[in-house]
Amino acid sequence: MAELLLDKLDAPREARIRAAREVPDHVLLPSTVPPGNHAQRTLRRSIAVETDDPELIIRALSEPPPAGSSPVRLGIALRGLIGLLHTAGPEAVSAEAARLRQPSGEVPQSVRRALADPTAFGTLETAFHDLCGTAAILDRFRRLPAHATGGTRHMPRPPLDWAEVESAHGRRPLSEEATRFFVGELGCPAVIRGHLAEIRARRQAEAVREQPRAGSGEEMPERANFRPVFGRYGADALRDAMALGRLSVREVLFRGTPAWRVLGCMADVVAVRAEAERELAALAVPRLAEDVEGWVVAVRLLPDFAGTLPELVSTATTAAANP
């Protein structure tokens, strides 16, 4: 279980560090790296330097490339040197620092100073906070496009300052990528978790409204190109969208696919269940009325039916009339 947790990116970083202390060193950092697993290896190295085990830290720092200029590699180097300074002393730090390449490109000056004088604990700590602290993480999410922030979860970091996160969010709402990052960590405030629910509900509402309404006269796309509303954000987001008033019950009933999952969502959201039952009755009863065969066909089709509920009712009506 501990080994599985190590590579689970949506697990809190503190939980992964705890898991690293529960597995043997050769499991945390195997002697060979399977092809294509370098991203996973980087994640393992970033966890290893936070265990404060000097042998593990030296192994994590000695793997090529020893530093580089990416924030992840620099973060691993700085946190490793801090751990060595605490556990093995200045001589061990000097020996490892001598192997590290000086960074190129745009990096905080404090990082350059720390790598030039790595036995000064205060200098190392300042550089680590400037590169990997809460303010730096917030700034990275503000400045960089979403595709450039994926490595943030691979970085070692000091404990998050949740008051600073809340304050930044209050001044300017966090992006979806930043919110997802913070929600995945221990101690995330309720206001940030609620913000993610709002984002997902809004995105889900947009996905539903992009689809033509069955029976509205709008051209229906080919089924192969019909995007399910349960795609990226899933059933939880659809439930949030209804509970938060982003989507009406009628919109979901008429546009949601597949039909069986729509019915499941309606049943799960207590606040809309009664309204859903009324809308569903208004949709199905006039078409199927007392046609027992039509109802039977609808029930049989439901588990595998890819379309909307109105399409299901129409299909069942047609099938019952043309046995």
Side-chain angles (χ1 to χ4, degrees), residues 1 13 22 26 36 108 125 148 157 162 194 198 201 229 239 241-243 245 250 255 269 303:
M1 180 65 73
R13 185 167 186 84
E22 300 296 324
H26 72 274
E125 279 282 302
R157 59 168 173 75
W162 290 115
E198 282 279 1
V229 299
R239 286 190 280 267
M242 288 188 291
R250 186 173 179 80
R255 299 190 182 202
V269 183

Side-chain angles (χ1 to χ4, degrees), residues 11-34:
R13 185 167 186 84
E14 288 81 1
R16 298 205 303 270
I17 293 170
R18 200 169 303 150
R21 297 187 175 115
E22 300 296 324
V23 300
D25 292 358
H26 72 274
V27 172
L28 177 59
L29 288 178
S31 56
T32 59
V33 183

Side-chain angles (χ1 to χ4, degrees), residues 207-231:
V208 171
R209 289 174 180 141
E210 284 175 3
Q211 301 186 82
R213 186 186 300 272
S216 67
E218 299 176 50
E219 182 181 353
M220 296 298 290
E222 292 294 326
R223 179 61 58 199
N225 299 321
F226 196 85
R227 185 171 64 175
V229 299
F230 293 93

Side-chain angles (χ1 to χ4, degrees), residues 61-278:
L61 292 180
S62 65
E63 292 189 5
S69 298
S70 76
V72 175
R73 290 175 179 168
L74 285 172
I76 289 172
L78 291 171
R79 182 60 180 85
L81 295 177
I82 289 171
L84 279 182
L85 196 56
H86 277 304
T87 59
E91 289 186 8
V93 170
S94 296
E96 288 305 311
R99 300 177 61 256
L100 298 176
R101 295 199 304 265
Q102 287 298 314
S104 59
E106 186 179 343
V107 296
Q109 284 300 313
S110 59
V111 172
R112 296 186 187 281
R113 286 194 294 269
L115 293 177
D117 184 16
T119 59
F121 177 71
T123 305
L124 276 177
E125 279 282 302
T126 298
F128 186 53
H129 278 269
D130 287 351
L131 187 72
C132 304
T134 303
I137 291 172
L138 287 165
D139 179 64
R140 192 169 295 114
F141 279 115
R142 297 287 196 212
R143 287 188 299 104
L144 301 178
H147 71 268
T149 57
T152 306
R153 286 199 183 277
H154 293 75
M155 296 178 67
R157 59 168 173 75
L160 291 168
D161 183 339
W162 290 115
E164 186 169 5
V165 173
E166 282 198 74
S167 176
H169 176 66
R171 293 191 300 272
R172 178 182 165 195
L174 298 174
S175 67
E176 180 178 352
E177 290 72 25
T179 307
R180 289 172 59 199
F181 169 81
F182 289 117
V183 166
E185 301 301 327
L186 295 179
C188 180
V191 66
I192 306 299
R193 294 197 303 273
H195 181 56
L196 184 60
E198 282 279 1
I199 289 172
R200 288 176 170 170
R202 186 176 69 250
R203 295 275 192 256
Q204 191 70 312
E206 291 168 355
V208 171
R209 289 174 180 141
E210 284 175 3
Q211 301 186 82
R213 186 186 300 272
S216 67
E218 299 176 50
E219 182 181 353
M220 296 298 290
E222 292 294 326
R223 179 61 58 199
N225 299 321
F226 196 85
R227 185 171 64 175
V229 299
F230 293 93
R232 177 178 180 188
Y233 295 97
D236 287 344
L238 190 61
R239 286 190 280 267
D240 287 340
M242 288 188 291
L244 295 169
R246 293 282 186 178
L247 281 172
S248 70
V249 170
R250 186 173 179 80
E251 283 179 302
V252 176
L253 279 175
F254 275 79
R255 299 190 182 202
T257 62
W260 68 270
R261 297 197 71 178
V262 172
L263 290 177
C265 276
M266 295 299 175
D268 288 344
V269 183
V270 176
V272 302
R273 194 179 298 160
E275 183 184 353
E277 290 173 357
R278 290 193 299 271

Side-chain angles (χ1 to χ4, degrees), residues 304-322:
D304 300 312
F305 195 77
T308 63
L309 283 163
E311 289 175 313
L312 174 66
V313 172
S314 295
T315 302
T317 303
T318 302
N322 300 279

